Amino acid sequence: MTLSTDIYIKNKIDRGEVWQFVNQSLGIPPTVKHNVTESGIDNLPAQGFMAWVMVHAPASGEPERPTAATCDEYCETPCDQQHDPPHWVRVNLDSTYGCNKKTGLSCTDIHKLVMRALRPWLHAKGNSFIWRNEFEGTLHADTDETALEAFR
């Protein structure tokens, strides 16, 4: 079982730059095995790192702007699905439950480490993010330190 956290970057930014930064913040070397596709850059799984990193951006080069049309035949009226918020890049972190044997960090500690590194880096670029963990489904601003601390 794994913990999955989505980080939605609000303003335009190069997905490759984000991928490199997130990997660096996790101590993942630039030589990591990965796939580059039209819609994203994904580290290959099972390489022994703290988290599986996946960075996606719409193939259109335009920001993702979910609308009512995003709903499909499985949505109820009113729709209660957790559609992605508007964003340019989505980072997905996936970590196994429990402690990382190399670092002693829990999966939530690992995800918080990335978000705490990403926040000042993006703010220095005039950018920001919102995030959601798979348990509660609530979106949080990158500046919401209370939500980040409560994330366990």
Side-chain angles (χ1 to χ4, degrees):
M1 299 291 295
T2 61
L3 172 69
S4 179
T5 300
D6 285 313
I7 301 167
Y8 304 94
I9 300 176
K10 292 181 176 183
N11 299 314
K12 190 170 187 171
I13 191 166
D14 179 72
R15 70 180 186 186
E17 186 180 5
V18 173
W19 176 78
Q20 288 174 341
F21 183 84
V22 171
N23 279 331
Q24 181 182 12
S25 70
L26 288 166
I28 298 174
T31 56
V32 62
K33 295 176 186 171
H34 62 281
N35 283 328
V36 178
T37 66
E38 194 174 285
S39 63
I41 307 170
D42 297 343
N43 292 355
L44 296 179
Q47 295 186 71
F49 300 118
M50 289 191 285
W52 181 15
V53 177
M54 297 159 273
V55 176
H56 297 275
S60 67
E62 296 295 317
E64 186 76 34
R65 288 190 179 99
T67 64
T70 307
C71 292
D72 58 27
E73 66 270 16
Y74 301 107
C75 291
E76 300 289 327
T77 304
C79 176
D80 63 352
Q81 298 295 313
Q82 295 178 356
H83 297 293
D84 291 349
H87 62 280
W88 279 89
V89 173
R90 179 176 57 88
V91 177
N92 178 260
L93 302 173
D94 210 14
S95 299
T96 58
Y97 290 129
C99 285
N100 180 281
K101 291 182 173 124
K102 292 178 187 173
T103 65
L105 297 173
S106 71
C107 54
T108 55
D109 290 337
I110 292 165
H111 294 204
K112 288 193 273 190
L113 178 142
V114 171
M115 289 189 276
R116 285 191 171 121
L118 201 54
R119 179 175 45 208
W121 182 74
L122 285 172
H123 285 193
K125 296 174 176 299
N127 211 329
S128 62
F129 67 87
I130 53 180
W131 64 278
R132 172 175 41 214
N133 74 64
E134 69 179 316
F135 293 123
E136 62 181 37
T138 306
L139 293 169
H140 303 282
D142 62 357
T143 55
D144 188 347
E145 192 62 30
T146 303
L148 199 56
E149 272 305 309
F151 180 33
R152 301 199 183 282

